[in-house]
Amino acid sequence: MYFGTLRIMKNIQLLGLLLVVVGSFLPLVHVPIIGNWNYWKLDHSLAITCWILSAGALFGIVNNSAKIARTFAVLLILLFILSLIAVKVQSLDYFSFLPFKSWRETFAGVVKLKWGWAIEFLGAFIIILAKNNKVNNKTQI
């Protein structure tokens, strides 16, 4: 009975990991005229970092180490937050040639975040919140 519960929790964490990896290919940012961008189109190093952190989380999930899996999931969330900040700063910097700050903010506002971010965050939170209980080898007499 207990091992079945352990397998279900591991599968839930693997589902969260799958959401993170698939989310990196979904549209994350919409730039008018250019179209939708995923992690790879945003920045190659961010995409590679996301996949490396996902591999670390996979290592923790497969080895039943909740601490490692959660650590990498927290690092993924921090990467996603950093990416969101970078998108905002880059869009403001992209329109830096405009003479007025209000114009820059208006034009930078046309760069919209897409639904792929929700999948990314959901996957990382699933990895963190899923309980991955270890088997207690001590027997009571």
Side-chain angles (χ1 to χ4, degrees):
M1 177 73 177
Y2 182 79
F3 291 107
T5 305
L6 182 64
R7 186 178 306 136
I8 291 171
M9 290 304 149
K10 185 187 266 191
N11 289 342
I12 290 173
Q13 285 183 321
L14 287 172
L15 173 68
L17 184 67
L18 180 69
L19 287 175
V20 169
V21 172
V22 169
S24 68
F25 295 103
L26 296 175
L28 300 175
V29 177
H30 177 75
V31 181
I33 299 172
I34 296 173
N36 293 326
W37 286 0
N38 58 17
Y39 243 137
W40 190 254
K41 288 182 182 178
L42 281 176
D43 187 43
H44 298 295
S45 60
L46 287 176
I48 292 169
T49 304
C50 176
W51 297 333
I52 288 171
L53 292 175
S54 296
L58 178 64
F59 176 78
I61 293 168
V62 169
N63 291 319
N64 292 327
S65 176
K67 187 175 184 179
I68 292 174
R70 286 187 179 126
T71 301
F72 278 103
V74 168
L75 290 174
L76 280 166
I77 290 173
L78 292 175
L79 175 71
F80 300 153
I81 292 170
L82 174 74
S83 299
L84 288 171
I85 293 169
V87 165
K88 183 65 175 171
V89 169
Q90 186 66 26
S91 64
L92 285 171
D93 189 46
Y94 187 73
F95 295 104
S96 64
F97 65 90
L98 295 173
F100 300 111
K101 186 177 179 180
S102 63
W103 288 7
R104 279 181 271 182
E105 291 174 356
T106 301
F107 279 99
V110 298
V111 175
K112 300 290 183 194
L113 300 177
K114 297 297 280 185
W115 56 274
W117 289 111
I119 303 298
E120 293 277 6
F121 279 104
L122 178 66
F125 281 122
I126 286 174
I127 296 170
I128 291 173
L129 297 177
K131 301 250 188 245
N132 191 0
N133 299 324
K134 288 189 176 183
V135 177
N136 187 0
N137 292 329
K138 295 180 183 178
T139 57
Q140 292 181 343
I141 298 177

